[in-house]
């Protein structure tokens, strides 16, 4: 069975609704979602808590299925893409195995898929240096800071050179300084690997700094309220200095205004929509 929609796009979501059946009735988490993420494109999802961001990520990763509509990844149904391991996943909790060292955690997907030993060792060495953990390769997760654990999780997600990364609030637990450093590293890693990214965040500056486009979602049932294209340097060329430039603030304002359309009270009070 071949599915023609999506072509070479990294992700193609068409007419997706998601309804959960719960003991207290139905919960409509997503409604009428249409979204395409091009190969190599960085797209962030932002919106209030409970608007369905994680649900949408889970549908792309085939950890759950839509009630209506279709999700394809590199032109294949989401299920086939999962089986083919077409993407890497990094979620808020680093999810490392505590009894495995940094190297062994990163190696895990490679050993699970039977890569030869020498090839695994070479790839792990490359990844450890890519995420700047050369001096920590034989440490265990509990010997690392939160930022370092998250870098291990990202290295593990990159192990099989995915053309797509799915990241759900991967930096949510980090302090602001570490978070900004991780954002710059992610920019560099994406430039080096050419991977497309779907990235969930609560942080407007984070979404702006990283993305080609920011998808603003409305409160439940989650719909796409607006897609804001970042009129900034190409993502591969974004540097720390961008954070102090007026075009960066202009894009923050554009995303903020799009978010507040779904929450007029919050806009009046000037509080962050979460
Ligand atoms: P977000 O990630 O944007 O905070 P979620 O995707 O986690 O939101 O959740 C969207 C809505 O769907 C919420 O109301 C949540 O309670 C509901 N939901 C998520 N997963 C389930 C589930 N497995 N069963 C029932 N309801 C769920
Ligand atoms: Mg979530």
């Amino acid at each position: 069975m071949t599915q023609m929609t999506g072509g070479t796009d990294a992700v193609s979501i068409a007419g997706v609704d998601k309804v959960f059946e719960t003991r207290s009735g139905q919960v409509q988490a997503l409604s009428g979602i249409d979204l395409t993420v091009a190969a190599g494109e960085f797209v962030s999802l932002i919106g209030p808590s409970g608007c369905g961001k994680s649900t949408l990520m889970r549908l792309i990763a085939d950890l759950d299925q839509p009630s209506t509509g279709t999700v394809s990844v590199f032109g294949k149904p989401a299920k086939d893409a999962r089986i083919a391991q077409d993407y890497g996943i990094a979620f808020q909790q680093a999810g490392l195995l505590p009894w495995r060292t940094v190297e062994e955690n990163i190696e895990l997907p490679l050993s699970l898929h039977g890569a030869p030993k020498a090839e695994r060792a070479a790839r792990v060495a490359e990844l450890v240096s890519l995420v700047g953990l050369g001096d920590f390769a034989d440490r265990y997760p509990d010997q690392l800071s939160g930022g370092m654990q998250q870098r291990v999780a990202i290295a593990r997600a990159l192990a099989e050179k995915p053309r797509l990364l799915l990241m759900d609030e991967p930096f949510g637990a980090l302090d602001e300084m570490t978070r900004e450093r991780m954002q710059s590293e992610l920019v560099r890693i994406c430039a080096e690997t050419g991977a497309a990214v779907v990235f969930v965040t609560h942080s407007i500056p984070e979404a702006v700094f990283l993305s080609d486009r920011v998808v603003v979602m409305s409160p439940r049932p989650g719909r796409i309220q607006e897609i804001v294209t970042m009129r900034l340097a190409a993502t591969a060329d974004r540097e720390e200095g961008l954070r102090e430039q007026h075009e960066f603030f202009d894009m923050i304002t554009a995303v903020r205004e799009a978010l507040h359309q779904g929450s007029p009270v919050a806009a009046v009070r000037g509080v962050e929509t979460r």
Side-chain angles (χ1 to χ4, degrees):
M1 193 176 69
T2 50
Q3 180 156 348
M4 296 309 289
T5 52
T8 55
D9 287 324
V11 180
S12 176
I13 300 168
V16 162
D17 293 345
K18 179 64 186 178
V19 179
F20 291 106
E21 306 287 344
T22 70
R23 272 197 284 176
S24 46
Q26 294 191 329
V27 174
Q28 176 140 25
L30 294 169
S31 172
I33 304 288
D34 292 303
L35 179 66
T36 298
V37 177
E41 191 184 20
F42 198 118
V43 170
S44 291
L45 309 178
I46 197 165
S49 264
C51 74
K53 303 178 294 295
S54 295
T55 301
L56 190 54
M57 292 295 262
R58 292 175 54 79
L59 298 184
I60 299 169
D62 191 50
L63 299 170
D64 205 343
Q65 287 71 45
S67 306
T68 50
T70 57
V71 177
S72 40
V73 177
F74 295 113
K76 300 177 209 167
K79 183 176 176 210
D80 296 0
R82 174 172 56 74
I83 292 165
Q85 298 283 326
D86 278 344
Y87 46 80
I89 296 182
F91 288 170
Q92 180 163 14
Q93 299 305 324
L96 305 178
L97 298 178
W99 59 88
R100 285 183 156 243
T101 63
V102 164
E103 278 179 328
E104 290 164 350
N105 268 284
I106 296 172
E107 190 183 10
L108 189 62
L110 299 168
S111 6
L112 286 177
H113 297 110
K117 193 169 180 190
E119 189 183 304
R120 284 192 329 244
R123 180 72 183 140
V124 168
E126 194 177 47
L127 287 160
V128 161
S129 103
L130 181 70
V131 297
L133 287 175
D135 296 337
F136 299 88
D138 51 10
R139 302 288 180 88
Y140 288 87
D142 68 357
Q143 299 174 297
L144 305 176
S145 68
M148 292 162 110
Q149 292 182 17
Q150 215 34 269
R151 280 189 269 168
V152 177
I154 291 169
R156 186 184 53 190
L158 290 167
E160 299 186 281
K161 304 192 180 163
R163 293 176 292 162
L164 172 65
L165 275 174
L166 304 178
M167 307 180 85
D168 191 345
E169 300 192 49
F171 308 148
L174 307 181
D175 66 79
E176 197 59 27
M177 295 264 290
T178 309
R179 194 166 176 153
E180 289 191 356
R181 215 165 45 235
M182 293 294 294
Q183 291 164 13
S184 293
E185 274 185 39
L186 184 57
V187 163
R188 178 177 59 79
I189 288 168
C190 290
E192 283 180 27
T193 64
V197 185
V198 185
F199 189 93
V200 172
T201 180
H202 272 130
S203 162
I204 299 174
E206 180 166 275
V208 169
F209 186 77
L210 292 171
S211 307
D212 292 299
R213 291 186 297 149
V214 177
V215 175
V216 176
M217 295 177 65
S218 68
R220 192 160 63 87
R223 296 170 197 275
I224 293 179
Q225 181 149 302
E226 195 172 327
I227 299 182
V228 188
T229 299
M230 296 298 100
R231 292 188 305 277
L232 298 169
T235 49
D237 299 328
R238 297 199 189 160
E239 289 171 354
E240 282 305 307
L242 175 64
R243 298 184 194 279
E244 292 172 6
Q245 286 165 14
H246 70 82
E247 57 265 42
F248 183 67
F249 295 113
D250 290 348
M251 287 299 112
I252 287 179
T253 303
V255 172
R256 171 173 230 106
E257 284 176 353
L259 260 171
H260 286 173
Q261 273 169 30
S263 178
V265 176
V268 169
R269 291 186 189 150
V271 291
E272 196 87 359
T273 308
R274 286 184 65 100

